[in-house]
Amino acid sequence: MKKNCLFSNFIAIFIPLIFIISCSKDTSEVIDYNGKFKNISGGNLINAMAGEPSNLIAMIAGDSASSAIAGNIFNSLLKYDENLNYAPDLAESWQISNDQKTISFKLKKGLQWADGKPLTSADVLFTWKLITNPNTRTPYASDYQLVKKASTPDSLTFKVTYESSYAPALDTWTSLHILPKHILKDEDINNTFFSRKPTGSSFYKLDEWISGQQVTLKANDKSVLGVPLINKLISRIIPDTSSQFLELTADNIDVMNINPIQYQRVFPARKDLRQKIALYKELGNGYTYLGFNLKKTPFNDIRVRQALNYAIDKDEVIKGVLLGLGEPISSPYKPGTRWNNPNLSPYPYKPSKALVLLQEAGFKKNDAGILMKNGKPLKFEIITNQNKQREMTAVVIQKRLQEIGVEVSIRVIEWASFVNRFIKTGDFDVVVLGWSLSLDPDQYNIWHSSQQGPGQFNFLGYSNKNVDKLLELGRKELNVSKREKIYHEFSKYLLEDSPIIYLYAGYALSAVHKRVKGVKNPAPPAGIYHNNYDWFVPKPLRRSEISAR
Amino acid sequence: MLIGISLVSFFIMHLAPGDVTSSEASFNPKASEESRQKLRELYNLDKPVIIQYGLWVKRIAQLDFGNSFASHQKPVLWERTDKSGNVTKGLIQESLPITLMINLLGICIIFSISIFLGTLSAVRQNTWVDRSITLFVFIGFAIPGFWLALLLMYWTGVSNQWLPISGLHSLGYQNLSGFGQFIDLLKHLVLPVSISSLSGLAGISLYVRNGMLDILHQDFITTARSKGLKESKVVFIHALKNAILPLITIIGLSIPGLIGGSVIAESIFAIPGMGKLFYDSVLMRDFPVIMGILTIGSFLTLIGNLLADVGYAWADPRVRKGLVK
Amino acid sequence: MNIFLKNPLALSGLIIILTILILALIAPIIAPYDPSFIDINSILFPPSINHLMGTDGLGRDVFSRMLYGAQISLLVGFVAVGIASLIGVILGSLAGFYRGWVDSLIMRFVDIMLSIPTFFLILAIIAFLTPSIWNIMIVIGLTSWMGVTRLVRAEFFSLRQREYVLAAETMGSNHFSIIVKHLLPNSLTPIIVSSVLGIASAVLVESGLSFLGLGVQAPTASWGNILTDGKEYIQFAWWLSLFPGLAILITVLGYNLLGEGLRDVLDPKNKD
């Protein structure tokens, strides 16, 4: 009797569990999302983000949530168009002087802020003064401090003069959000209500911000760039990605970033999801690499670095970690852009060649199959931060290197400790990390030999005189095709020296509910969000506000 | 005690590597080390720990909890109004009520169910009822909370759409009537509150059960029974009253948990409570917020303990009449 | 042993624990695959004859990982509780034996530790110890000794006035031998019970830490991190979360039933 009841209790608990898992019945009636629809304005778009924006003044905030939202509220002087060329934003045109040191921007006519006040070159000058003011708590000032003189000859012209020609200059003016002088002139920018109640000039303005829950933007009818079709952009803050995905499948959010397994496995297996959610992929702006501490033996030996490069199967990493949703790379630039040198190709997977190179470097296999030099095994630790893909990458690499007799251990560390204990102090062997890059090819901060101080970004300790020279040249050269040559050559040196092993550039994967129309497919180089002000939700497909959960 | 806690946590915090300038977002070649150094100076992070602690104590003495680093000068504790009348709410001011609401609801449910189950268990000691209850509460304790949460979210939110999945409000809840908003909130709270209650059942119900067993064997119960009182009256009036008395102390002791919140539940259900706030602050090394939460937390804990003592004294006739010290 | 037979729940707890212990110990013998063997051609296979519990995101065999994960999860439990009990017994004995200012000092310290959220302490300690399985154990141990301290102290308070203790004291035995010979053996019951329950909590704490990314780190498998990996795919690769979830549930349940059963059996109040 007693035993029996014990058993029935177990049953009582587990049956529902199994039921919960196995039951995936589709209760919603089938709506056809594929018809032709008119693009009438209205409706709303809900997306999910993991963290709350910290501050809508982008020069002070550093987090991606903040820049994503602020980007819908503020304009810069310039922007990138869908093919990643410079395009007018607030500025209608721009001119570079013959000595390449002065740029003058001509603003569009009749610009105004969301509160109806005119937007003039005085606002631009104010913003520049703000970011270069030493009391402003911004980490991004250095690019703008290169401007020697800034002036406003008239209310539509803004003119900056650099000490010497600075090639990335235009790029820096695509990311500086212009702020309203009339509101901020008496405010302390570090501590102002404006950071949570901004007034901008772009397509949207802030409607409501419920702390920790959601940020709602609504169409800015004063926007001179036009009024967007979707009336409200709602960003819900959902920290856990599993919860985000549940919300997506329950129709409660329209847009989210997904991972390769969801893209390659979950969606193909679930017809009900494919019927209502469209998937998009685009190459992201970053890449993942394995970097050596070049100040340590044996990584100061180029043969060891090249050998390890031959010993790692990048295709396997891409297949295993990204389920094929990534591209192998051979230069630190996005494949398909002009800065990427098409003549370079990644180190192929050739373990035999790796062993030859290691033997040249003095390593011999002992009886246990471990590579030894001077009585010491070839042994190192890969460190990485808490990032699932990087962890998995390290695991796959570990397996391949063990096959040729290299002992590898892995350590995963929380970010702040990772940077401060290991990166800043140089106390590491090998890292698996990623760089996300801006669209300008300048990588002086990462690769120039002068950038090795604590806290600077050449923490691997790379120095190559030729590379230094090229990087210095590239910063000054404004002629695009000359610049292209410089960076192609730079990439060649970098590949040969192999201070890092390029692992992959992953695809950014997005799921967008099919009720949202106007998304470009395939994604243009600038990504699907590029034209989000052209997106619309046809009236029959809109969720009724109150029944939506 | 307050000083002890603040001292311990201040040093633990500063021994941990990193500060607010080393977040993942700032690991960006566009952000220069010089400007990060500048930030450190502005926040006094370049000073020795002991001086930073001194500065902090000085501010706290004036009840100034300071501003958060990471959320850019949001006040830690309470709202601030600037000269033109714009109000910026405090971080704790926003999170604490949410966490308190969930945990108070949770504790009410835990106590009512536990008292019921515990009593039932004790009355039916060593029968199958007793054993099933024990098994049930232990399963509730043993199941990993986030796993159960996700299963239930899937079951009630995706495949059946009975309950909302995450968050605290529906879209457009502003358009609802006051009562509608209340129902909407309750619906959002069903899952988080029941998940957090489930794990708490085991402790309290066993406590009630064992307390009841003790009391049921005591003389005054035997006396009551021998007077011919109905068994139900004996159990529910005489014994239960005495068995739940010690629970008052437990409530007092559970105050830190009440205001602490749970990082895991709050992340899964997207609830902006104290647990999540604290966890994010630790990852961001947002020192003023960490210190603020710990200080407020221990302050409320002290008050809680005091209230528990007073409550116990008030409820226990022996103490009330000064018979027991 | 017959005491267990009287209490079917405690008995089933014991059986569960023994089974899992044995499985963990013979893991290298019965595991069909190397738990870290990656096969990118068999990613996320559902359970089958070849892979009893399916495969994970890197094509590793979940059954083998579960078996090796059992070793880690149980080890974490045992060592963490060992550390916690050791600290708890020492501090509790000191507080309970000497009372006075020693007692108030230790109890204040206990209060302080109790009001600082555990995960904060864990995070801080992990941040400046280098993360490894051993450090996870040390950290869980260092943050869970407060209960044992209180228990031992209370037990000592009541034992301290017993005649045989007083007698030993008047006969000039030194304090250390009184504590070790007379007081500790008589307070063993609650310590054992709380240790068994402590192991249960440690297993749960490890899975919670894994959720936050602070638990046992890859590539080592633990039930907590297998479950955390699986939570993303609860609707699709259900085997990734079901098996570790059930394993944790059953193990923690087993320890609890055993602990509670021991308490009932060893507690004189329940003798009649």
Side-chain angles (χ1 to χ4, degrees):
Chain A
M1 172 64 199
K2 276 171 191 165
K3 279 277 158 57
N4 206 351
C5 118
L6 196 77
F7 181 69
S8 66
N9 263 301
F10 270 106
I11 294 290
I13 294 292
F14 295 140
I15 292 287
L17 282 184
I18 289 159
F19 171 67
I20 289 168
I21 292 163
S22 57
C23 119
S24 57
K25 71 172 189 259
D26 189 7
T27 50
S28 59
E29 75 257 54
V30 180
I31 304 170
D32 182 18
Y33 291 108
N34 297 322
K36 281 271 172 229
F37 297 101
K38 267 197 284 185
N39 56 345
I40 307 169
S41 69
N44 54 37
L45 180 79
I46 307 174
N47 67 356
M49 50 188 186
E52 176 161 35
S54 64
N55 185 328
L56 294 180
I57 305 173
M59 68 168 80
I60 292 183
D63 52 305
S64 55
S66 300
S67 34
I69 296 214
N72 284 318
I73 301 178
F74 293 101
N75 294 108
S76 303
L77 286 175
L78 305 178
K79 64 178 180 186
Y80 285 100
D81 67 9
E82 66 170 29
N83 295 314
L84 301 179
N85 296 315
Y86 292 117
D89 196 10
L90 289 177
E92 181 179 67
S93 63
W94 59 98
Q95 254 173 353
I96 300 168
S97 67
N98 289 335
D99 65 355
Q100 303 199 331
K101 289 182 186 169
T102 303
I103 311 173
S104 58
F105 298 94
K106 191 95 180 159
L107 297 188
K108 288 174 182 166
K109 290 198 184 76
L111 293 172
Q112 54 181 337
W113 295 103
D115 61 3
K117 296 266 168 36
L119 191 167
T120 67
S121 58
D123 292 306
V124 185
L125 183 66
F126 171 78
T127 307
W128 174 77
K129 280 187 177 153
L130 204 57
I131 196 168
T132 50
N133 183 336
N135 290 327
T136 303
R137 296 176 189 177
T138 172
Y140 306 114
S142 53
D143 277 339
Y144 306 95
Q145 281 160 348
L146 297 172
V147 173
K148 196 174 63 182
K149 194 172 140 250
S151 61
T152 55
D154 59 60
S155 70
L156 290 179
T157 314
F158 176 69
K159 213 163 148 182
V160 283
T161 309
Y162 289 82
E163 189 76 52
S164 56
S165 64
Y166 183 54
L170 286 179
D171 178 70
T172 66
W173 294 104
T174 61
S175 55
L176 183 65
H177 290 166
I178 305 302
L179 302 173
K181 183 181 178 186
H182 67 280
I183 298 177
L184 284 169
K185 61 178 187 285
D186 297 323
E187 286 285 326
D188 170 11
I189 190 73
N190 303 313
N191 185 358
T192 169
F193 73 95
F194 191 82
S195 62
R196 298 182 65 81
K197 223 190 212 174
T199 304
S201 51
S202 195
F203 294 104
Y204 288 93
K205 60 184 178 188
L206 187 70
D207 182 29
E208 184 190 32
W209 182 341
I210 311 175
S211 276
Q213 299 182 47
Q214 66 181 51
V215 181
T216 309
L217 303 182
K218 70 173 178 216
N220 171 14
D221 49 14
K222 297 256 173 23
S223 164
V224 284
L225 306 172
V227 178
L229 290 170
I230 289 175
N231 202 18
K232 279 188 176 177
L233 292 185
I234 299 162
S235 302
R236 286 191 53 194
I237 298 155
I238 305 175
D240 188 79
T241 47
S242 333
S243 312
Q244 282 186 12
F245 195 66
L246 287 177
E247 290 279 20
L248 178 79
T249 55
D251 280 355
N252 296 337
I253 56 180
D254 298 320
V255 183
M256 81 173 266
N257 298 322
I258 56 174
N259 64 31
I261 291 189
Q262 287 159 345
Y263 188 96
Q264 288 290 52
R265 296 298 174 92
V266 180
F267 276 91
R270 291 280 302 273
K271 194 164 174 255
D272 56 322
L273 294 184
R274 286 202 312 275
Q275 268 170 354
K276 57 184 187 186
I277 296 165
L279 301 181
Y280 299 89
K281 68 171 186 178
E282 67 204 39
L283 212 47
N285 281 326
Y287 66 90
T288 300
Y289 64 89
L290 176 135
F292 300 105
N293 186 344
L294 302 165
K295 288 175 181 148
K296 272 195 175 175
T297 47
F299 309 117
N300 51 4
D301 186 337
I302 184 170
R303 288 168 299 192
V304 174
R305 299 197 300 266
Q306 288 178 335
L308 295 175
N309 210 337
Y310 281 117
I312 294 174
D313 186 350
K314 289 105 195 162
D315 288 331
E316 181 190 49
V317 174
I318 292 172
K319 245 175 117 181
V321 178
L322 301 175
L323 296 170
L325 292 167
E327 296 287 335
I329 52 169
S330 45
S331 74
Y333 299 110
K334 189 167 166 172
T337 59
R338 73 164 79 229
W339 311 116
N340 180 52
N341 186 342
N343 300 322
L344 300 178
S345 54
Y347 285 64
Y349 174 57
K350 274 190 192 159
S352 52
K353 192 153 184 182
L355 282 173
V356 173
L357 278 166
L358 284 170
Q359 249 156 27
E360 280 173 28
F363 288 95
K364 280 206 180 68
K365 276 200 179 179
N366 70 1
D367 301 336
I370 308 283
L371 286 159
M372 307 283 279
K373 182 181 180 180
N374 305 332
K376 277 191 199 149
L378 178 52
K379 180 177 165 185
F380 57 84
E381 181 179 70
I382 297 179
I383 59 170
T384 187
N385 70 311
Q386 295 171 329
N387 172 312
K388 196 76 231 154
Q389 286 184 352
R390 291 180 193 162
E391 256 177 62
M392 287 165 70
T393 305
V395 172
V396 176
I397 290 172
Q398 179 188 38
K399 173 195 158 204
R400 280 296 174 204
L401 293 183
Q402 261 159 1
E403 279 176 8
I404 63 159
V406 184
E407 273 182 63
V408 179
S409 55
I410 297 172
R411 193 195 283 179
V412 183
I413 303 151
E414 179 253 346
W415 181 260
S417 315
F418 179 78
V419 169
N420 285 282
R421 281 202 53 183
F422 299 95
I423 301 296
K424 272 195 186 161
T425 56
D427 182 18
F428 64 92
D429 300 331
V430 169
V431 291
V432 168
L433 269 184
W435 281 121
S436 45
L437 299 168
S438 69
L439 295 165
D440 189 86
D442 178 34
Q443 295 190 3
Y444 185 88
N445 292 333
I446 304 178
W447 300 111
H448 196 274
S449 58
S450 67
Q451 303 296 307
Q452 298 181 15
Q456 290 183 308
F457 293 101
N458 187 354
F459 56 86
L460 299 174
Y462 181 65
S463 71
N464 177 327
K465 285 206 184 81
N466 296 319
V467 166
D468 283 358
K469 232 180 264 163
L470 287 168
L471 286 170
E472 286 158 25
L473 264 178
R475 287 195 120 183
K476 293 202 178 102
E477 184 55 66
L478 270 79
N479 180 310
V480 176
S481 53
K482 281 187 193 160
R483 245 190 133 193
E484 190 180 299
K485 275 204 193 97
I486 292 172
Y487 287 108
H488 282 187
E489 196 165 344
F490 153 71
S491 305
K492 212 175 96 194
Y493 280 114
L494 208 58
L495 185 69
E496 199 175 303
D497 275 345
S498 192
I500 60 173
I501 296 176
Y502 300 113
L503 297 171
Y504 52 81
Y507 281 95
L509 309 170
S510 320
V512 181
H513 200 284
K514 283 192 176 165
R515 69 162 65 91
V516 182
K517 303 290 172 191
V519 187
K520 287 203 172 153
N521 196 18
I528 59 162
Y529 298 103
H530 175 76
N531 69 336
N532 68 349
Y533 45 86
D534 280 339
W535 293 5
F536 63 98
V537 184
K539 209 157 191 185
L541 304 184
R542 283 175 201 163
R543 55 160 71 75
S544 62
E545 278 224 336
I546 201 55
S547 72
R549 283 194 280 246
Chain B
M1 170 138 166
L2 278 179
I3 296 172
I5 292 178
S6 72
L7 209 61
V8 169
S9 32
F10 206 87
F11 283 92
I12 289 185
M13 192 167 78
H14 283 83
L15 280 172
D19 56 49
V20 71
T21 63
S22 52
S23 72
E24 189 157 5
S26 67
F27 197 70
N28 171 343
K30 283 198 163 182
S32 65
E33 172 66 10
E34 295 88 67
S35 39
R36 269 179 276 136
Q37 187 56 36
K38 198 179 72 195
L39 282 182
R40 254 171 247 139
E41 283 162 23
L42 283 166
Y43 289 136
N44 286 321
L45 292 172
D46 54 337
K47 308 241 165 37
V49 180
I50 190 78
I51 293 183
Q52 291 187 42
Y53 183 69
L55 288 171
W56 181 80
V57 169
K58 208 171 119 194
R59 276 196 290 110
I60 286 294
Q62 303 155 0
L63 286 181
D64 175 8
F65 282 81
N67 296 324
S68 145
F69 295 162
S71 74
H72 302 279
Q73 308 300 319
K74 260 189 116 167
V76 170
L77 180 64
W78 205 253
E79 65 192 27
R80 169 187 64 210
T81 313
D82 71 359
K83 51 193 186 298
S84 35
N86 294 296
V87 178
T88 313
K89 296 244 180 186
L91 289 167
I92 295 180
Q93 181 192 7
E94 285 173 338
S95 311
L96 189 56
I98 295 172
T99 301
L100 266 184
M101 171 177 69
I102 292 178
N103 285 337
L104 283 177
L105 265 177
I107 216 162
C108 290
I109 292 175
I110 292 179
F111 274 75
S112 37
I113 297 184
S114 294
I115 290 172
F116 173 72
L117 291 181
T119 315
L120 196 62
S121 248
V123 175
R124 300 276 169 80
Q125 191 192 1
N126 293 337
T127 63
W128 66 270
V129 177
D130 179 20
R131 300 211 202 289
S132 326
I133 289 175
T134 311
L135 192 65
F136 169 73
V137 297
F138 275 144
I139 288 177
F141 174 79
I143 196 161
F146 66 90
W147 180 53
L148 181 66
L150 284 168
L151 289 176
L152 288 178
M153 280 158 90
Y154 182 57
W155 186 42
T156 64
V158 180
S159 33
N160 291 302
Q161 311 234 334
W162 292 328
L163 290 172
I165 295 173
S166 65
L168 281 178
H169 301 292
S170 299
L171 198 63
Y173 78 102
Q174 305 96 321
N175 310 337
L176 290 168
S177 64
F179 182 69
Q181 288 189 6
F182 177 69
I183 294 293
D184 182 54
L185 181 65
L186 276 191
K187 271 184 166 176
H188 281 84
L189 288 180
V190 172
L191 283 184
V193 170
S194 33
I195 298 271
S196 66
S197 310
L198 196 57
S199 65
L201 282 182
I204 311 283
S205 64
L206 287 176
Y207 193 89
V208 173
R209 172 181 180 268
N210 294 340
M212 279 297 274
L213 284 179
D214 276 0
I215 288 165
L216 285 176
H217 292 122
Q218 272 175 14
D219 295 344
F220 76 100
I221 294 292
T222 322
T223 318
R225 278 190 184 132
S226 59
K227 279 199 297 192
L229 286 178
K230 262 200 221 145
E231 182 67 17
S232 61
K233 211 169 174 189
V234 171
V235 170
F236 288 108
I237 296 185
H238 293 266
L240 189 60
K241 216 167 81 185
N242 287 287
I244 60 177
L245 208 55
L247 289 183
I248 295 177
T249 326
I250 294 195
I251 296 188
L253 289 177
S254 60
I255 298 259
L258 270 184
I259 52 177
S262 145
V263 204
I264 296 178
E266 287 171 10
S267 307
I268 286 262
F269 290 109
I271 293 169
M274 294 286 279
K276 191 76 180 52
L277 175 66
F278 190 72
Y279 182 68
D280 288 343
S281 310
V282 172
L283 289 186
M284 292 295 295
R285 308 286 193 266
D286 193 348
F287 299 150
V289 182
I290 301 175
M291 292 308 293
I293 294 178
L294 289 173
T295 314
I296 297 288
S298 37
F299 179 68
L300 291 179
T301 309
L302 286 183
I303 293 188
N305 288 348
L306 198 72
L307 284 180
D309 286 349
V310 173
Y312 194 79
W314 169 79
D316 188 338
R318 288 170 302 174
V319 183
R320 194 168 48 203
K321 288 176 185 149
L323 299 177
V324 186
K325 249 194 201 164
Chain C
M1 201 57 213
N2 60 345
I3 45 181
F4 276 114
L5 294 179
K6 279 204 301 195
N7 189 335
L9 288 185
L11 180 67
S12 41
L14 187 70
I15 293 172
I16 291 172
I17 297 308
L18 287 178
T19 318
I20 289 171
L21 269 179
I22 291 168
L23 283 177
L25 286 177
I26 60 168
I29 305 169
I30 54 172
Y33 296 87
D34 176 345
S36 53
F37 178 76
I38 297 165
D39 180 2
I40 59 163
N41 294 317
S42 56
I43 289 173
L44 291 177
F45 280 11
S48 65
I49 298 294
N50 288 333
H51 298 281
L52 283 179
M53 296 184 180
T55 60
D56 72 357
L58 281 174
R60 294 173 293 196
D61 181 54
V62 176
F63 180 57
S64 309
R65 288 179 70 71
M66 288 292 299
L67 287 173
Y68 281 90
Q71 291 184 337
I72 299 295
S73 293
L74 294 182
L75 195 66
V76 169
F78 280 121
V79 178
V81 166
I83 295 170
S85 305
L86 191 69
I87 301 177
V89 165
I90 292 173
L91 289 183
S93 311
L94 291 177
F97 190 84
Y98 291 105
R99 309 192 182 186
W101 65 270
V102 180
D103 179 39
S104 12
L105 189 74
I106 290 176
M107 289 336 272
R108 274 299 81 80
F109 189 45
V110 167
D111 286 343
I112 290 175
M113 292 293 288
L114 280 175
S115 60
I116 300 178
T118 316
F119 95 85
F120 171 60
L121 291 172
I122 292 177
L123 189 80
I125 299 171
I126 286 180
F128 51 109
L129 294 175
T130 49
S132 70
I133 323 168
W134 295 104
N135 286 332
I136 301 277
M137 300 173 196
I138 293 172
V139 164
I140 297 180
L142 285 180
T143 51
S144 56
W145 50 269
M146 290 80 84
V148 188
T149 308
R150 285 190 159 168
L151 217 73
V152 174
R153 169 180 173 265
E155 206 66 20
F156 272 36
F157 267 29
S158 69
L159 290 175
R160 188 74 169 78
Q161 300 307 323
R162 300 273 168 88
E163 277 109 28
Y164 68 95
V165 179
L166 294 173
E169 207 166 0
T170 40
M171 281 167 66
S173 309
N174 69 27
H175 292 169
F176 180 74
S177 76
I178 296 176
I179 292 178
V180 173
K181 278 194 193 145
H182 300 293
L183 292 174
L184 271 185
N186 286 296
S187 16
L188 217 51
T189 312
I191 298 178
I192 291 176
V193 170
S194 88
S195 300
V196 172
L197 296 177
I199 296 176
S201 317
V203 172
L204 277 179
V205 169
E206 196 276 323
S207 79
L209 284 178
S210 283
F211 176 87
L212 297 176
L214 300 171
V216 174
Q217 299 292 355
T220 313
S222 78
W223 289 348
N225 65 27
I226 300 175
L227 179 59
T228 305
D229 285 356
K231 83 179 167 60
E232 297 277 332
Y233 316 113
I234 215 155
Q235 316 178 38
F236 171 68
W238 52 268
W239 58 93
L240 266 182
S241 52
L242 180 72
F243 296 116
L246 285 183
I248 293 174
L249 168 59
I250 291 173
T251 310
V252 175
L253 183 66
Y255 277 114
N256 272 316
L257 292 177
L258 180 66
E260 210 50 41
L262 280 177
R263 192 206 307 272
D264 275 0
V265 166
L266 299 173
D267 190 347
K269 271 186 303 222
N270 294 336
K271 281 279 158 66
D272 51 329

